Each structure stands twice: as C-alpha cells, then as structure tokens.
Amino acid sequence: MIKSNSKVAPKDAKLAMVHIYVAFIALALGGTAGLLQTLVRSGKYELPAGIGYYQLLTTHGVLLGLVLTTFFIIGFLFASLSKTAGTLSDKVRLSGWIGFWVMTIGTATTATTILLGEASVLYTFYAPLQAHPAFYIGLALVIVGSWISGFAMFTHFGKWKKANKGAVTPLLSYMAIMTMILWLVSTLGVAATVLIQFIPWSFGWVETIDVLVSRTLFWYFGHPLVYFWLLPAYMAWYVVIPKIIGGKIFSDALARLSFILFLLFSIPVGFHHQLTEPGIDPAWKYLQVVLTFLVVIPSLMTAFSMFASFEMYGRSKGATGLFGWFKKLPWGDARFFAPFVGMLVFIPAGAGGIINASHQMNQVIHNTIWVTGHFHLTVATTVILTFFGISYWLIPHLTGRVMTKAMNKLAIVQTIVWTIGMAFMSTSMHAAGLLGAPRRSSFSTYGDAAQAHEWIPYQIAQAIGGSILFIGIILILIIVINLAFFAPKGETEFPVGEVADEAEKTPKLLENWKLWVGVLAVLILIAYTIPFIDMIQNAPPGSKGFKN
Ligand code: HAS
Ligand code: CU
C-alpha cells in the first residue's frame, strides 16, 4: 500500500518550488510588458529605446500564456502527486529535474530571440510571420521538457496503482494525470507543426509553408491548451476549496466524470478558432462547434458541484433560506476568497466563450479586441486568481513556513485590486471589440477614421485597468517573496477534501484509462481526418516568410 503523505517530502517540495519560482519570474516580466502595452494603446505613451510594440506583445503572451502557466501547473501537479500518491522515487524525481532544465533552457532560448527583436510573432506565431529558428527550437524544448515530466508523473501513478490493486485512485492524483494526458495528446499538434513546418522553413531549408495546415495543427493544440490551464484550477475547486471552507467534496464520481469529459471534448474543437478561415468545409466547422458546446457541459457540472459544496457546508452550519449559506463562507480567508472571485468571474467569462463559439456571432468578434477581453477574464482572472489562491497555502507548505495575518490581508487586497483592474480593462476590451477595434494591434487612428476615434476612450480605460493590474502584480510578488523566504517558520496544511458521506460510490468505469484514451482517439480522427486530407490535397501554393 502507498498512503497519502501528511506533507510533501522535502526533496519533492524542492522540485515543485523551482517550477513556481520560474512561474513568478515570468509573471513579473510578462506583467511589466502588459502594463506598457496598455499605455502604448492609449496613444499617450511611446516605447523607449527602440523597443517594438509587437516585440513587447510577444514577450507578454509567451511569458504569461505559455511559461507562467506551464511551469506553475507542472510544479503544482508534482506536489499533488507527491502528497496524495506517495513520495516520488529518486528516478521519477530525477526525470522531473531533467524535464525542468530542458524547459528552462528552452524558455531562455525563446526569450532571448524575442528580446533581440528576432521573433516578434506573438504567442500564436502564425505563419507567414517568420521568427529566428531559435525561437521555434526553444519552444520545442519547452514541450519536450514537459513530456519528460509528464512521463515521470505517469510512472509514479502507475506505481501507486500496482501497489494498490483494485483501489480507487486518489482524486487529486487522478486529476493531475488527466491534465497531463490532455497536455500530451494536444502538444502532439504543436510539436508537429514546429518540427515539420516551422523549423525547416525558418532555416531556409524549404522556401514556403502551408499556412492553413500550420494554423490547424496549432489550434488542435491551442484549444486544449486553455483547458490545460483550467483543469488545475478545477483541481483546487473540487478538492481543495471544500476542505478550506471546512466542508466536503460533493461527489467524487462527478468530479472524475467532468475531467473525462474535458479530456474527450477539449481536443476535437480547434476549428472554433478558425471559423472565419477559408479552406475548411463549413460542415466540419459545424461539427466542431457542436463538440465545443459539449465541452461547456463539464464546466456547468463544476458550477453545480461548487454550489452544492457551498450549500451543504452552509446548511451544516445552520444556514436557512435559499441563500443563507452564502454568509457562512470564510470571506476573510484569501485561500478561499481569491479562487471564489475566480469562479464568479468565470460566469461572464464562460458566457463570452459561448458567444465566441456561436458561428454567426463569431463573425462579429473574431480578430477584435473582444477576444482579448475574453481571455483576460478566463485565464488572466479565473485561472490566475485560483493559482494565486493555491500559492497562498502551497508555497508555505513547500517552504515550511506559515502565512501571517498581515499577508492574508494583503492577499485579500490583491484580489480586490486585480478584480477592479480587470473589470476596467476587460469590460472596455469587450465593448471596443463590439465596435470593431482590432486585436493584436498597436495604437493607430487608422488614417483618422471616425470609427477609430470611438475606440480611443476605451483604450484609455484599458490603460487605467492595466495600471491597476500592475499594482496587483507588485502585491502578489510581495506576498510570494514573503511566503517563500521571509514568513515565520511553521507547518502549513496542504488541504485535501474528503468526499461527503452521502455521495455515490465511484464507478470503476471512470478509471478505465484505455477506454477513454481510445474514445478520444476516435473523436479526434472523426473531427480532423477528412478536413485534413482536404487541406493537403487542395493546398494553395505555400507562403514565403515575412519578418516583423
Ligand atoms: Fe475561450 C478564444 C470559446 C473557455 C481562453 N479563449 C480564446 C482565447 C483564449 C481563450 C486564450 O469558440 C484566444 C486565443 C487566441 O489568441 O486567438 N472559450 C470558449 C468556450 C469556453 C471557453 C465555449 N477560453 C475558455 C477558458 C480559457 C479560454 C476556460 C482559458 C483558461 N474561446 C472560445 C472561442 C474562441 C476563444 C470560440 C475563439 C474566438 C476567435 O474568434 O478568435 C467554455 O469552456 C466556457 C464554459 C464556461 C462556463 C462557465 C461556468 C461557470 C463556472 C463558475 C461557477 C461559479 C460559482 C460561484 C460556483 C459556461 C464553473 C458562484 C457563486 C455565486 C454566489 C454566484
Ligand atoms: Cu478554444
């Protein structure tokens, strides 16, 4: 039998922490870039020292969207596995370190090309924009590093299963493995386009690139990428939050089912990012839109489950009436408050996603700054506030410290500052987007067009929001540095909830990995095979590279 640990073992804690350090360094640099971007777009500020707007925007997207998230998540998953499925073996831990260094070297390589101005291609690196080959090689290393860590996690989980034959796996570990399978299957797409298309093309070994194929492979990865960010937040919502509020997990089976649905429906939906692109038959776009609407269901299940956990807890404390439970929640505890605000924001954020996915409405918002507003609510508020909430107990747990009352208070202030900043920035992005303001664009009056003047007040509001958010970044960095290096020594709990007594038993079917990965493969083949053959058979001439 391998039992769950009361604490993450010190050697595992070190491995988790290095990932978290890189994540917060990325936040500091990427956040600064974000502030400068909003200032430039207000029209009142020009970048110094020959820094280009698109260079800055690439730094921002790569560091926050790809580096911060991937490093934080891998650190959190290693910690979760070590806590709930036993201390990592030396071999697994070593693989984790190798994975970490490969990812870090990759990040440094990519970041250098961006800083040298050789890769201003944004985080989606759409062809025919062309970067220096080192940009793509660095990204490939980040992916390979994450695979090494992923396989280390699978090995660890396999060992637990062997030692506990027939037992239901620990929920948190199960979710960590699901998240990593999702990542592995989806990164195959981006690895393929980077290795087969971008690297040979950027070296000049081939002259042209097939743009549609590269975008399709990118979005095969790009959509599940957003659920790779979301699922660790859901791990905290399902398993950690019930324990923090002093309640129970509503249902183990429902939590597992929602993760399976994410695995199945996250990947065959990339076309909802390509609805306006020619070269894909509308019937296939339609199919993927239907699958997109199916992937909304596990989020609705999560919303239901969270409400149920909150209400069960409130009623156990004597709450009455429809919303009496609301007052019983621990509002003064930042470990609860930050993720809770994240949940609340996810209601309008998710609604925006449903608008995006609706084929006709997508014509209105595609390539406008509405989309930027959408993902600043989803990933930059819902997900990141939950990651901050995780940091408030995970970092002191790993470093053997405790969060003081003063830091807890600062964390509450941080959450409020973040929410206000994002309310300004994201609301005005949504509004300007509806008026047609483009995304991925520096300040311009578009030849003094009347419409552009309508956008400018919103762009000033975005700069106000961006400045408030930057204060939020300074606050979170103060808290994180305190928790890592200066907070009083002591023991902090890694909160893992128990399942409510009245919940149904978990059916074995939910643990049948071969079945679910098999169904996933079938869905991917159905959604992509014919359109892909079509794209290759009817490909227009390839495109030469353009440098920014
Ligand atoms: Fe999205 C574009 C559709 C979710 C991120 N999305 C993006 C991009 C990013 C992104 C980064 O169909 C831009 C990519 C680029 O650079 O081009 N998105 C969706 C849909 C969902 C969705 C249908 N997106 C996310 C999440 C993201 C994310 C999550 C990051 C983490 N998105 C799109 C589409 C586009 C797109 C199109 C392309 C647009 C274009 O044309 O370019 C769904 O998953 C959303 C489902 C969620 C819900 C909400 C459930 C609510 C919950 C909270 C419960 C609250 C509680 C508290 C319990 C339906 C779970 C309540 C307490 C009280 C007291 C009230
Ligand atoms: Cu998507």
Side-chain angles (χ1 to χ4, degrees):
M1 276 284 277
I2 300 175
K3 286 239 171 82
S4 126
N5 285 326
S6 63
K7 247 172 68 173
V8 174
K11 284 185 177 170
D12 297 349
K14 216 169 144 190
L15 175 63
M17 269 314 288
V18 284
H19 287 90
I20 294 174
Y21 289 135
V22 176
F24 280 98
I25 294 171
L27 178 69
L29 301 174
T32 310
L35 169 70
L36 297 178
Q37 279 150 230
T38 58
L39 296 180
V40 171
R41 273 194 77 137
S42 74
K44 312 258 180 241
Y45 173 82
E46 273 180 39
L47 288 168
I51 303 172
Y53 179 80
Y54 298 99
Q55 186 182 5
L56 204 63
L57 188 54
T58 309
T59 311
H60 178 74
V62 169
L63 284 183
L64 298 183
L66 304 177
V67 177
L68 158 71
T69 48
T70 310
F71 276 83
F72 186 90
I73 290 168
I74 291 184
F76 175 50
L77 298 188
F78 269 128
S80 300
L81 282 160
S82 170
K83 159 84 183 151
T84 58
T87 307
L88 307 181
S89 70
D90 286 345
K91 233 169 137 186
V92 165
R93 196 180 312 106
L94 178 66
S95 307
W97 277 104
I98 296 174
F100 168 78
W101 279 112
V102 174
M103 278 171 56
T104 306
I105 292 168
T107 301
T109 311
T110 295
T112 309
T113 56
I114 302 170
L115 294 177
L116 292 176
E118 296 287 338
S120 301
V121 293
L122 311 192
Y123 88 109
T124 42
F125 54 91
Y126 270 5
L129 278 180
Q130 193 181 56
H132 189 279
F135 174 84
Y136 306 110
I137 293 171
L139 286 182
L141 286 176
V142 173
I143 294 164
V144 170
S146 74
W147 286 350
I148 297 173
S149 294
F151 278 105
M153 291 180 198
F154 297 155
T155 310
H156 185 62
F157 190 70
K159 207 175 110 201
W160 190 98
K161 283 195 77 151
K162 231 184 193 163
N164 300 268
K165 274 224 156 68
V168 177
T169 52
L171 181 56
L172 206 58
S173 287
Y174 175 93
M175 293 170 148
I177 295 300
M178 272 290 177
T179 307
M180 226 45 211
I181 295 180
L182 173 77
W183 176 250
L184 237 99
V185 177
S186 60
T187 42
L188 290 175
V190 68
T193 182
V194 165
L195 294 178
I196 301 170
Q197 296 190 284
F198 280 98
I199 291 180
W201 174 66
S202 61
F203 271 115
W205 301 333
V206 291
E207 212 172 308
T208 61
I209 190 165
D210 184 325
V211 170
L212 184 57
V213 167
S214 76
R215 289 191 189 185
T216 303
L217 287 170
F218 181 85
W219 287 116
Y220 165 94
F221 153 79
H223 183 78
L225 168 69
V226 314
Y227 292 121
F228 173 70
W229 301 333
L230 184 68
L231 291 188
Y234 276 12
M235 286 167 67
W237 293 7
Y238 274 113
V239 182
V240 172
I241 296 293
K243 175 76 174 184
I244 288 176
I245 65 174
K248 293 269 172 78
I249 298 171
F250 170 68
S251 159
D252 178 276
L254 182 136
R256 285 177 206 250
L257 178 64
S258 85
F259 270 59
I260 289 180
L261 294 178
F262 274 116
L263 179 68
L264 296 186
F265 297 122
S266 283
I267 300 173
V269 297
F271 285 174
H272 71 223
H273 294 267
Q274 300 175 278
L275 291 175
T276 56
E277 262 171 56
I280 305 170
D281 191 281
W284 294 106
K285 290 181 179 170
Y286 176 76
L287 174 75
Q288 294 209 9
V289 163
V290 172
L291 294 172
T292 303
F293 279 92
L294 285 179
V295 79
V296 171
I297 293 171
S299 280
L300 295 176
M301 285 164 56
T302 306
F304 170 78
S305 181
M306 295 319 296
F307 271 115
S309 269
F310 296 155
E311 183 178 347
M312 267 184 346
Y313 166 73
R315 295 213 187 278
S316 76
K317 291 278 153 205
T320 52
L322 199 54
F323 289 110
W325 49 269
F326 192 74
K327 286 193 225 118
K328 303 279 180 194
L329 295 170
W331 296 109
D333 186 341
R335 297 172 310 161
F336 165 77
F337 184 65
F340 182 87
V341 173
M343 292 177 201
L344 216 59
V345 169
F346 202 37
I347 298 171
I354 294 171
I355 292 172
N356 299 347
S358 307
H359 201 152
Q360 289 84 342
M361 285 195 265
N362 185 271
Q363 320 284 311
V364 178
I365 55 80
H366 184 66
N367 276 341
T368 72
I369 200 162
W370 161 287
V371 176
T372 320
H374 164 69
F375 67 71
H376 280 83
L377 289 185
T378 49
V379 63
T381 310
T382 300
V383 169
I384 208 69
L385 281 181
T386 304
F387 287 1
F388 292 168
I390 292 172
S391 304
Y392 300 151
W393 52 264
L394 183 61
I395 297 178
H397 177 91
L398 297 175
T399 56
R401 298 179 187 272
V402 284
M403 191 177 199
T404 58
K405 281 215 167 86
M407 278 301 136
N408 181 64
K409 223 180 226 155
L410 194 61
I412 301 260
V413 174
Q414 199 285 336
T415 309
I416 295 169
V417 168
W418 198 270
T419 311
I420 295 173
M422 204 54 92
F424 269 100
M425 193 176 89
S426 180
T427 311
S428 43
M429 284 175 167
H430 278 90
L434 288 181
L435 294 171
R439 65 181 287 204
R440 307 186 184 104
S441 151
S442 183
F443 179 79
S444 165
T445 54
Y446 297 88
D448 245 8
Q451 219 179 356
H453 288 284
E454 273 184 21
W455 304 332
I456 288 169
Y458 290 106
Q459 298 186 166
I460 291 172
Q462 285 162 31
I464 295 170
S467 309
I468 300 173
L469 279 165
F470 190 67
I471 299 173
I473 288 190
I474 294 172
L475 294 181
I476 186 71
L477 291 174
I478 293 174
I479 299 168
V480 164
I481 291 170
N482 177 276
L483 292 176
F485 303 109
F486 300 107
K489 292 267 178 198
E491 298 246 326
T492 294
E493 184 198 13
F494 187 133
V496 177
E498 285 169 24
V499 179
D501 302 331
E502 55 274 40
E504 301 282 330
K505 255 189 82 200
T506 305
K508 274 261 149 24
L509 189 65
L510 299 178
E511 296 264 5
N512 192 337
W513 300 91
K514 284 192 191 117
L515 171 70
W516 300 120
V517 173
V519 176
L520 170 64
V522 171
L523 277 173
I524 293 173
L525 289 176
I526 293 176
Y528 275 108
T529 310
I530 296 178
F532 212 77
I533 293 175
D534 219 26
M535 258 172 231
I536 290 174
Q537 280 183 343
N538 300 313
S543 178
K544 288 195 170 150
F546 290 88
K547 296 225 162 147
N548 208 330

